[in-house]
Every structure is written in C-alpha cells, then in structure tokens.
Amino acid sequence: MAARIYQRPKNAMQSGRALTDLWVLEFEPAEAKKPDPLTGWAGSGDTQQQVNLRFPDLAAAKAYADKYGIEARIEQTPPRRLKIQAYADNFR
C-alpha cells in the first residue's frame, strides 16, 4: 500500500491560508476507476482512496507511515514566489 505525504497549497481563488500548515497522508489508487454500467459514474472497489489523514507536522506523518508499514513518498512544498508591484503598474 503506497501513499503520498504533502502539504496543501493555498487555494488560488481565496486569499486565506487556512489549513495550509497541515500535512496530508493520501493513499495512491490501487486500481483504475471504471464507469458504472447503470449510472455512468466512475468508481472502483478501492476504499483506501477515500482516506485522507491530516497531521500537524511532517514528522508525525512520517511516524504514522513507519508505524503501520506504509510506503510513503514525500512531496515538498514549493517555495512561495511573491510578485510585488504597485497599483500604478496596472496602468503601464
């Protein structure tokens, strides 16, 4: 069972940074999704895809993965790049 550990990025549509400091452990899909013949919705029998675990820091997420024998790959958060400009720059 494989998983990935990452930190949520800030939502581009909102200015707030709520829940961006938490680390998330999310399981990789074990099987491909296929359409249901009756409804046409995509689904699979893999219930691990529904599990998202949140941790306060990276060390706690790593410790959980090690404790339960989960092969986890860590995706580091890219550094924030700020584009600092004045309001007058919009009219140049």
Side-chain angles (χ1 to χ4, degrees):
M1 154 169 57
R4 68 183 187 127
I5 298 173
Y6 65 96
Q7 209 171 13
R8 275 196 194 144
K10 185 182 87 66
N11 186 346
M13 301 301 291
Q14 297 176 347
S15 62
R17 298 194 187 282
L19 301 177
T20 58
D21 56 341
L22 295 178
W23 288 83
V24 179
L25 186 139
E26 187 176 79
F27 290 96
E28 297 287 338
E31 62 182 57
K33 292 186 177 184
K34 49 190 172 285
D36 183 89
L38 181 62
T39 62
W41 293 357
S44 70
D46 182 23
T47 58
Q48 291 291 338
Q49 290 180 357
Q50 301 170 10
V51 178
N52 283 339
L53 301 174
R54 296 184 198 145
F55 297 94
D57 57 358
L58 178 60
K62 278 186 195 178
Y64 181 86
D66 292 341
K67 180 179 178 182
Y68 290 102
I70 299 169
E71 298 173 21
R73 65 181 164 86
I74 299 166
E75 295 179 3
Q76 293 295 334
T77 309
R80 278 191 254 156
R81 290 176 279 150
L82 298 176
K83 182 179 177 185
I84 299 173
Q85 67 182 33
Y87 179 70
D89 292 341
N90 293 329
F91 302 102
R92 291 186 184 173

